[in-house]
Amino acid sequence: MNINNSCAGGRQGGILGTAQNGKATVENCTYSGTLDGNDAGGSGNYGGIIGYVNNSASAIAIINNCLFDGQVVNNNAAPGNCTFGGIVGYNNSGTVTIKNCLSIGTVRSTRASQFFGALNGNNSTFENNYYMGDNINGPGSGGTAAGPAPVKVTEEQLASGEVCFKLNGDAEVPAWYQTLSEDAYPVLDPTHKVVLYDEVNGYHNEGDEDPDGIGNCQLSTVNCQLIYNMAGQRLSKPQKGINIVNGKKILLS
């Protein structure tokens, strides 16, 4: 859905405009449209997920498993100081937790970033987030967020399945999916495939494992602890051919 602002000082989000008071939870949401702030007033706040979080101890926003791959832009010729964020336009000292989120869309204004267009106060928390772009918090932010900073990734990492696998973390039920032969990045769509990882197959989709369970590698790349041949005899070092290394079949060439 595209959103076009027509007034100065708006507070709009791709999912939620304002988290004013109380607890707001946004989970498993994607904004892929264009939010055009078109704001010359200098006081508007626009976000791919939430536009504005109020400056109140009772304003609590939890953003979990969300994807921003759209556009949040200010096409006004005189954009002023309004804030544009891929996830949150402006957190004005509210309590915001951003967890397991991916921000790879376009943000454009004088104060813009992939997560907070502007961040005030120190009540926010990051956990397991990834992005492409120039910055995490917009210019002029007066606060900081606790927890690990979002990790900047490349197109290659997105396409490989690495980010999808890491976004799911230890979750029993995955939220993120990616059909590796088709999707350029993770999505929140269970009609796509789950990404798995192991030392033999690397990042792969369910059902794409090596059917004989034998990985191929060079002798020089193997870090061995327990090595056996196919007869079950313990070896001091790997040999060419099929070895059982740490319980897995490895074909060494």
Side-chain angles (χ1 to χ4, degrees):
M1 180 180 70
N2 295 331
I3 302 170
N4 295 304
N5 180 58
S6 60
C7 63
R11 288 174 173 169
Q12 298 170 353
I15 305 300
L16 176 66
T18 298
Q20 188 72 19
N21 292 298
K23 183 178 179 179
T25 300
V26 182
E27 289 187 314
N28 303 319
C29 290
T30 299
Y31 186 67
S32 303
T34 297
L35 195 169
D36 183 0
N38 193 27
D39 190 332
S43 60
N45 313 118
Y46 307 88
I49 305 300
I50 297 178
Y52 174 76
V53 180
N54 193 25
N55 60 337
S56 167
S58 64
I60 301 170
I62 298 173
I63 304 170
N64 185 32
N65 290 323
C66 287
L67 168 64
F68 167 62
D69 61 353
Q71 298 185 74
V72 178
V73 296
N74 192 348
N75 288 320
N76 197 290
N81 289 317
C82 48
T83 61
F84 285 64
I87 303 297
V88 177
Y90 179 33
N91 177 16
N92 189 13
S93 300
T95 301
V96 177
T97 299
I98 302 177
K99 181 179 180 181
N100 304 327
C101 290
L102 177 61
S103 180
I104 56 174
T106 299
V107 286
R108 186 176 69 245
S109 189
T110 52
R111 298 179 70 188
S113 81
Q114 293 301 130
F115 283 86
F116 291 102
L119 174 60
N120 191 28
N122 302 315
N123 303 323
S124 298
T125 303
F126 285 129
E127 183 177 346
N128 192 38
N129 301 291
Y130 302 85
Y131 75 104
M132 289 183 66
D134 295 328
N135 53 11
I136 297 170
N137 301 325
S141 293
T144 59
V151 177
K152 187 172 184 176
V153 296
T154 64
E155 291 182 357
E156 290 75 17
Q157 287 175 294
L158 289 170
S160 73
E162 175 186 353
V163 176
C164 183
F165 180 80
K166 290 179 177 179
L167 280 165
N168 281 322
D170 297 328
E172 294 184 6
V173 179
W176 294 90
Y177 302 85
Q178 186 175 6
T179 303
L180 296 180
S181 59
E182 301 175 8
D183 299 327
Y185 53 85
V187 295
L188 292 160
D189 183 348
T191 65
H192 296 238
K193 294 183 178 181
V194 174
V195 174
L196 304 175
Y197 176 81
D198 62 58
E199 293 180 1
V200 173
N201 299 288
Y203 297 104
H204 62 282
N205 290 134
E206 286 183 309
D208 291 344
E209 295 87 355
D210 190 341
D212 61 9
I214 301 175
N216 293 274
C217 58
Q218 299 293 322
L219 280 168
S220 61
T221 66
V222 177
N223 181 12
C224 301
Q225 296 176 0
L226 297 175
I227 312 162
Y228 298 87
N229 61 21
M230 292 300 292
Q233 297 171 318
R234 180 77 180 267
L235 304 175
S236 61
K237 62 181 180 180
Q239 300 176 353
K240 288 186 178 181
I242 298 175
N243 297 252
I244 300 175
V245 180
N246 299 330
K248 297 179 180 179
K249 294 179 181 178
I250 301 294
L251 178 61
L252 299 172
S253 56

